[in-house]
Amino acid sequence: MNIKKLIMTYISAKAQTFILPLAGICCFLLLWSLTASSIDTSLGKFPGPSAVATQVGNLITEHNAERVKKDAFYLRQDQRNQTRMAKDPSYQPKERTYTGKETFIDQIFTSLITVLSGFLLAAVIAIPLGIAIGLSPTLNSAINPIIQIFKPVSPLAWLPLVTMVVSSVYVSVDPMFAKSFITSLITVTLCSLWPMVINTSFGVISMNQDWVNVSQVLSLPKLVHIQKIVLPASIPAIFTGMRMSLGIAWMVLIAAEMLAQNPGLGKFVWDEFQNGSSQSLSRIMTAVLAIGLIGYLLDRSMLQLQKMLSWDKSSAQL
Amino acid sequence: MSIILDISKVDMVFPTPKGDFTALQGVDLQIKKGEFISLIGHSGCGKSTVLNIVACLHKATKGGVLLHNKEVTEPGPERAVVFQNHSLLPWLTAYQNIELAVKQVFKNKMSKAEMKEWIEHNLRLVHMDHARDKRPDEISGGMKQRIGIARALSMKPEILLMDEPFGALDALTRAHMQDSLMEIQQKLNNTVIMITHDVDEAVLLSDRIVMMTNGPAATIGEILDVNLPHPRNRLALAEDMEYNRLRSAVLTFLYEKQRKVEVIPPPEASKPDETEQVKSSVA
Ligand SMILES: Nc1ncnc2c1ncn2[C@@H]1O[C@H](COP(=O)(O)OP(=O)(O)OP(=O)(O)O)[C@@H](O)[C@H]1O
Ligand SMILES: [Mg+2]
């Protein structure tokens, strides 16, 4: 009797964490393949799971092929330079960089680097700003209207402005970063800024008054007060803001890349759409799933970081 | 002995949306070095307000607080506070919580090793050295309160201010903590102001019991000298005539002279508002 009960509870626990999600995914795949086969488009049938699986294989093969080409290019260049050097020791070897096609996997990395850089830049601005706003009611009243107005603006509306400003301001002979990268990055920064500013300042404002009293009794200097009391106290709120921001940043980046034709997953999707081959739809569908998966992994990593850094374990759940 | 702390004719008025609220009026009290003062009174009469004014977490509307004949205007570690709800920083361990205080107060006066020794000494004082690396959410309420006390003591305060330090504890832990506090006070001879709701605690620990009248405009009603010899033993005192006389004096003050008239709202919740509206329309 008891053992039966035990087994039941064990199974139900397993069901919660394992079997039910698996069943959900299976149902989804089934529904997807059923509906996909009944949707006809001008580019053929809507891609089902199997088409996507094939494309995953294709995309990886293409990536590897491109890598082989790249390696071969550099090998040839080295050999050429060496033979010229052997003939003529005063020869200055030429180093050209390989300009092959960006593969799906390259695009994933471009997007990831862009989103993380934009997000980090935003955090570097937003967290000190949020703390300053939270600590100073004057600053809060002064800045709050600005935040409230800019917060609801879709960053895509900024994109043309950002593009124009970057192309006129960011001029250098040998730019360290591509203009397209800077544009995407600033767009991401603009949209990740607000949730972090708002959450950080909220965390500071709603800080437990007792902790402030402790700091006052100790007569902590302002900077020590911020470092030892304010910052740790608002860490849970800061992380909430960061997770929100990162989620938004990822969504916005893909859209911005599509709109501005900046390298990244968004451009991949757009190019495939323009391409209009029989494979396009399944490749786009693959990209859609990859975007979702990466978004999920970004959020999980943020959560993991929060679990590592935050003292408040209860706020670091889900 | 010399007067160390002079609470001089303090008034406290809180501005509220409904107009000014006079919490304290004419609170006047002189405290000698090494004295243990209990502040007792009904809930809401203004005990915490008095303590906060001494700590300078509130600024008195009128009057002020003199420490060694100098007015104090800012909070400072020489008036360490043990807060009602321990107020440990949850992201720091017990050791680190005390370390934050010690590092700040003895910045240029102690070497690293001396600080470490001093922090550990204070942990031992409250019998908490075994929990040195635990965070507040990993230890019980009584343990947290003890670390709060150790933190306050580690600042070597001239005045130790305690706001119902044992209020949230069960009777057994509370008795244990009272004994620890008596022992520490005998050893260090701190000047202490302690708020309490507990009559036995007040009589057991204090040299003087300051009894406050009910608010609004609360003030000091009576001061009772407790001349029981130290060290005090709670079991022996239970039979003691003087102890019981003091105890009943406090009880008489609280439950006869300052009987708290409980305002129990009438069943129709809107009634008080109506009367207020009538008043304001008349005005
Ligand atoms: N910041 C404030 N603004 C307005 N009124 C306040 C404020 N702080 C305290 N009061 C009022 O002053 C009075 C005294 O408050 P206080 O907290 O000192 O009481 P207390 O004696 O410590 O009560 P308890 O024993 O319940 O802790 C109360 O009526 C309270 O409502
Ligand atoms: Mg109180």
Side-chain angles (χ1 to χ4, degrees), chain B residues 36-38 82 125-127 145-146 149-150 153 160 162 165-166 173-190 192-195 201 204-206 230 234:
Chain B
F36 195 119
I37 302 275
S38 286
V82 176
L125 200 63
V126 293
H127 305 293
Q145 202 53 268
R146 273 192 253 184
I149 293 172
L153 288 172
L160 186 60
M162 302 203 278
F166 314 133
T173 316
R174 177 193 284 243
H176 188 76
M177 297 290 301
Q178 289 163 350
D179 291 340
S180 307
L181 183 60
M182 269 196 287
E183 181 194 322
I184 291 167
Q185 217 265 338
Q186 285 302 300
K187 215 186 280 177
L188 305 178
N189 199 29
N190 293 96
V192 183
I193 305 179
M194 179 179 78
I195 294 176
E201 182 172 278
L204 181 68
L205 296 175
S206 320
H230 286 283
R234 71 179 66 241

Side-chain angles (χ1 to χ4, degrees), chain B residues 109-205:
Chain B
K109 296 176 200 133
M110 280 190 193
S111 69
K112 272 229 165 75
E114 281 171 330
M115 280 190 193
K116 183 167 178 290
E117 175 47 36
W118 175 239
I119 296 164
E120 280 167 355
H121 169 81
N122 278 285
L123 279 169
R124 278 196 299 274
L125 200 63
V126 293
H127 305 293
M128 273 287 100
D129 37 334
H130 59 92
R132 118 192 243 282
D133 295 318
K134 292 229 164 87
R135 295 217 183 156
D137 56 359
E138 296 167 332
I139 56 181
S140 73
M143 291 158 95
K144 282 186 257 212
Q145 202 53 268
R146 273 192 253 184
I147 291 163
I149 293 172
R151 175 174 65 186
L153 288 172
S154 74
M155 304 178 208
K156 289 195 186 161
E158 296 189 67
I159 316 274
L160 186 60
L161 305 169
M162 302 203 278
D163 193 346
E164 285 182 56
F166 314 133
L169 306 181
D170 64 279
L172 220 59
T173 316
R174 177 193 284 243
H176 188 76
M177 297 290 301
Q178 289 163 350
D179 291 340
S180 307
L181 183 60
M182 269 196 287
E183 181 194 322
I184 291 167
Q185 217 265 338
Q186 285 302 300
K187 215 186 280 177
L188 305 178
N189 199 29
N190 293 96
T191 310
V192 183
I193 305 179
M194 179 179 78
I195 294 176
T196 178
H197 273 137
D198 182 337
V199 178
D200 291 293
E201 182 172 278
V203 180
L204 181 68
L205 296 175

Side-chain angles (χ1 to χ4, degrees), chain A residues 12 87 157 295 311:
Chain A
S12 73
K87 279 185 197 159
W311 49 273

